Amino acid sequence: MGEFDLITRYFKRPAKRSPLGVGDDCALLAPAPGMQLAVSSDMLVEGRHFLSTVEPSRLGHKALAVNLSDLAACGAKPLAFTLALALPGVDEHWLEGFSRGLFALADEHGCELVGGDTTRGPLNICITVFGEVPAGSALLRSGARAGDDIWVSGTLGDARLALEVFRGTIALPAEVFAEARMRMEQPTPRVALGQALRGIASSAVDVSDGLVGDLGHILGSSNVGATLDVDAAVGTVAAAGTPDLSVEMLRTCALSGGDDYELVFTASSSARAAVEQAGKRSATRVTRIGRIDAEAGLRIVDASGAPVAQRFGSFDHFV
Amino acid sequence: MGEFDLITRYFKRPAKRSPLGVGDDCALLAPAPGMQLAVSSDMLVEGRHFLSTVEPSRLGHKALAVNLSDLAACGAKPLAFTLALALPGVDEHWLEGFSRGLFALADEHGCELVGGDTTRGPLNICITVFGEVPAGSALLRSGARAGDDIWVSGTLGDARLALEVFRGTIALPAEVFAEARMRMEQPTPRVALGQALRGIASSAVDVSDGLVGDLGHILGSSNVGATLDVDAAVGTVAAAGTPDLSVEMLRTCALSGGDDYELVFTASSSARAAVEQAGKRSATRVTRIGRIDAEAGLRIVDASGAPVAQRFGSFDHFV
């Protein structure tokens, strides 16, 4: 099968809303009047972002999900995406599964594939996603103010717990592992919550490298500090009740786990009811885990307010 | 050096025209009223799209050039791009050169880096480029009509001749090789010509896989055939006058060479003066090399109109 047959068989579908989709030198996008286009790119490399053994349909889901998560963190509504794919060869089983998982999530969000590139090379998946957001209303990292609450969506740490099982450092009961593995392999981008938080959240970021590291982006961009309740964060971990998991492991997974694709965001304490309401409207759990301080730096405390000595890193591809 | 230091040192520059650039979950783009956004993605893999020995600044140039060439083929004006980069490690010499070559070309076209991703992995460069074009005036592959002339910009085949020198199949005089090598390593995207051809060309495509293959995209999308004058195409090859190059080699390089990043386009025969004028306005040579036929298929003839028996393939990553 040649390059263009491959594209036609697995990836070419008629454009619905875009003026021009797959099959020309460029795709054409036309955001609605008054809308800005939000753009984000994420590249996934085998062995770093996914295990070589992952089921291809789950990988197709995840490749788009991590990009949709960036749109969610800006409060943007998904529109379209491009897919650039380096493949070691033509593996029809892989292509069928990957494209099925990819399009299932794309269809769920009305996000259409409009173009891309296919080449031979070490497996690499690069998606650029486009969303629209009313001019001036995107959620940014730079809007947190002293006194704001810090919130997180969904559950933290479960993806990392699943990874630790694959690494052999911990064991989980089968049904707990199955749920954690789904969080690692098929994360849920919080697209509806992101849009519901427009006008409510003062800042937002998605958690991909770990809560502490990604919250750090908000603190740096907003020029503020924070106090984080580690026990509140651990309370969101779905597997938190599992016997034999150490407090240290749970805290590490919740604060430094990575691969969560949850939103961490800030909002004025007067907006608590509005945040809860946004969570309900988008059927997404939201949990208050700390507050923004004027004083720089991140202070990690337990439920009683006592400082926690444990250190928490953040994922970095080059350190 | 960590991932975010690397981004800050080599790739973060303040956004000029985009509402939001590098450093948030998404970049924000706002096309002017009445404009559509043209989008294209290209992925470059070491050993397939470039030799591992290429000078990093030339690679930075080429990575953006091949994307700008897609905008040119649509008649779009460059606005912005995202860069996703997988690197085997942090090589400051490489990063300095790569970013210098990349930004030199970007600045030449007023095209700003607004976001992207950096990860560790086998060297892979994926750029998604954004341009704007007045609604309804993008050059498409589907507009060629029987009787139209076929034109090509610049010079064909020289990049392939340089590759053949690297492969050891031919030799070229030093100064001829130097020029051909520049065509391979630092192609010139025909951005100004593309915009000048809006309203004049009936279809266009950029030549990346070879003239015959890429013209084939116009024929397929437009549901027409063509007659191509191989000698007119060879006449554009800068190195065509070099002694000892066989006619077969020159014809192969001109028609199947690949990596040309020229525009092949069609226009009504009544628009010949307008095409010549567009070439002059954009300081780009344009050469008439054939005509579109109602009859399907591609007929390759020599300057006398006699059919040419030689077969011409097209680059395909998977065949």
Side-chain angles (χ1 to χ4, degrees):
Chain A
M1 182 166 23
E3 181 176 348
F4 299 102
D5 294 331
L6 184 160
I7 294 168
T8 301
R9 182 162 326 167
Y10 295 107
F11 296 112
K12 191 169 181 177
R13 309 204 300 183
K16 286 177 193 153
R17 292 178 307 173
S18 302
L20 186 67
V22 174
D24 213 294
D25 291 87
C26 294
L28 294 175
L29 299 179
M35 291 294 200
Q36 290 177 331
L37 208 70
V39 177
S40 186
S41 290
D42 267 311
M43 182 176 260
L44 275 70
V45 175
E46 183 171 293
R48 294 201 74 78
H49 299 90
F50 56 92
L51 303 176
S52 58
T53 52
V54 68
E55 214 264 290
S57 70
R58 292 189 182 181
L59 182 58
H61 173 106
K62 183 167 179 173
L64 183 59
V66 304
N67 278 281
L68 291 175
S69 182
D70 286 312
L71 288 186
C74 283
K77 181 173 176 296
L79 282 181
F81 67 106
T82 60
L83 168 68
L85 203 52
L87 299 171
V90 177
D91 175 341
E92 299 207 35
H93 166 75
W94 189 93
L95 283 161
E96 186 282 319
F98 179 83
S99 59
R100 180 162 39 81
L102 179 81
F103 283 126
L105 184 65
D107 290 346
E108 197 182 307
H109 292 282
C111 189
E112 61 185 4
L113 178 62
V114 293
D117 193 16
T118 317
T119 181
R120 194 186 285 266
L123 185 55
N124 185 306
I125 305 158
C126 184
I127 286 180
T128 301
V129 76
F130 311 97
E132 62 181 11
V133 60
S137 72
L139 303 177
L140 306 183
R141 297 177 175 182
S142 53
R145 298 292 169 258
D148 282 358
D149 296 322
I150 301 170
W151 298 79
V152 71
S153 66
T155 79
L156 292 167
D158 294 289
R160 174 64 175 272
L161 282 168
L163 182 63
E164 296 297 336
V165 173
F166 279 112
R167 286 173 171 166
T169 58
I170 60 168
L172 290 175
E175 66 279 18
V176 176
F177 173 59
E179 194 186 338
R181 181 179 181 171
M182 283 298 281
R183 294 284 302 145
M184 179 176 94
E185 296 184 344
Q186 286 204 286
T188 303
R190 303 302 185 183
V191 172
L193 177 64
Q195 292 173 71
L197 288 172
R198 291 199 306 235
I200 297 170
S202 54
S203 73
V205 69
D206 83 316
V207 183
S208 54
D209 295 331
L211 176 66
V212 160
D214 289 311
L215 176 60
H217 295 309
I218 287 183
L219 304 186
S221 297
S222 301
N223 202 23
V224 292
T227 302
L228 195 64
D229 177 350
V230 66
D231 289 330
V234 165
T236 73
V237 180
T242 309
D244 303 334
L245 284 180
S246 71
V247 171
E248 285 69 26
M249 173 60 80
L250 280 170
R251 287 178 171 180
T252 293
C253 289
L255 265 60
S256 308
D259 250 6
D260 296 299
Y261 302 103
E262 295 294 353
L263 300 184
V264 55
F265 58 97
T266 61
S268 161
S269 59
S270 65
R272 284 180 190 172
V275 171
E276 299 278 5
Q277 195 54 40
K280 282 211 183 71
R281 278 212 311 281
S282 58
T284 310
R285 173 177 167 183
V286 290
T287 307
R288 198 148 47 82
I289 57 169
R291 65 157 195 277
I292 296 293
D293 304 326
E295 186 191 347
L298 178 62
R299 286 153 291 283
I300 297 172
V301 299
D302 66 16
S304 75
V308 169
Q310 191 179 342
R311 302 262 60 96
F312 299 95
S314 167
F315 188 77
D316 189 309
H317 286 286
F318 295 104
V319 172
Chain B
M1 181 167 22
E3 180 176 349
F4 298 104
D5 294 332
L6 185 161
I7 293 169
T8 301
R9 183 161 325 167
Y10 295 107
F11 297 111
K12 191 169 181 177
R13 308 204 300 185
K16 287 176 193 154
R17 293 179 305 172
S18 302
L20 186 67
V22 174
D24 213 294
D25 291 88
C26 293
L28 294 175
L29 299 179
M35 292 294 200
Q36 291 178 331
L37 209 70
V39 177
S40 185
S41 290
D42 267 311
M43 181 176 261
L44 275 70
V45 175
E46 183 171 292
R48 294 201 73 78
H49 300 89
F50 56 92
L51 303 175
S52 58
T53 52
V54 68
E55 215 266 288
S57 70
R58 292 189 181 180
L59 182 58
H61 172 104
K62 183 166 178 172
L64 183 59
V66 304
N67 278 281
L68 291 176
S69 182
D70 285 312
L71 289 186
C74 283
K77 183 173 177 293
L79 282 181
F81 67 106
T82 61
L83 168 68
L85 204 52
L87 299 171
V90 177
D91 174 343
E92 299 207 32
H93 166 75
W94 189 93
L95 283 161
E96 186 282 319
F98 179 84
S99 59
R100 180 162 38 81
L102 179 81
F103 283 126
L105 184 66
D107 290 346
E108 196 181 306
H109 292 282
C111 189
E112 62 185 3
L113 178 63
V114 293
D117 193 16
T118 317
T119 181
R120 195 185 282 267
L123 184 55
N124 185 306
I125 306 159
C126 184
I127 286 181
T128 301
V129 76
F130 310 97
E132 61 181 11
V133 61
S137 71
L139 304 176
L140 306 184
R141 297 177 175 182
S142 53
R145 296 291 169 260
D148 282 358
D149 295 322
I150 302 171
W151 298 78
V152 71
S153 66
T155 78
L156 292 168
D158 294 289
R160 174 65 176 271
L161 282 168
L163 182 62
E164 295 297 336
V165 172
F166 279 113
R167 285 175 171 167
T169 58
I170 59 168
L172 290 176
E175 66 278 20
V176 176
F177 174 58
E179 195 186 337
R181 181 180 181 172
M182 284 298 282
R183 293 284 303 146
M184 179 176 96
E185 295 184 346
Q186 287 205 285
T188 303
R190 303 302 184 185
V191 172
L193 177 65
Q195 291 172 72
L197 288 172
R198 291 197 306 235
I200 297 170
S202 54
S203 72
V205 68
D206 83 317
V207 183
S208 54
D209 295 333
L211 176 65
V212 160
D214 289 312
L215 176 60
H217 295 311
I218 287 183
L219 305 187
S221 297
S222 300
N223 202 22
V224 293
T227 302
L228 195 64
D229 176 350
V230 67
D231 290 328
V234 165
T236 72
V237 180
T242 308
D244 302 335
L245 283 180
S246 71
V247 171
E248 284 69 27
M249 173 60 79
L250 280 170
R251 288 178 170 180
T252 294
C253 290
L255 264 60
S256 308
D259 250 7
D260 297 299
Y261 303 104
E262 296 294 354
L263 300 185
V264 56
F265 57 96
T266 60
S268 160
S269 57
S270 65
R272 284 181 190 173
V275 170
E276 299 279 3
Q277 195 54 40
K280 282 212 182 71
R281 279 212 310 282
S282 57
T284 310
R285 174 178 165 182
V286 290
T287 306
R288 198 147 47 83
I289 56 168
R291 65 155 198 277
I292 296 293
D293 305 325
E295 186 192 347
L298 178 62
R299 286 154 291 281
I300 298 173
V301 298
D302 65 16
S304 74
V308 169
Q310 192 180 341
R311 302 261 60 99
F312 299 95
S314 168
F315 189 78
D316 189 309
H317 286 287
F318 295 104
V319 173

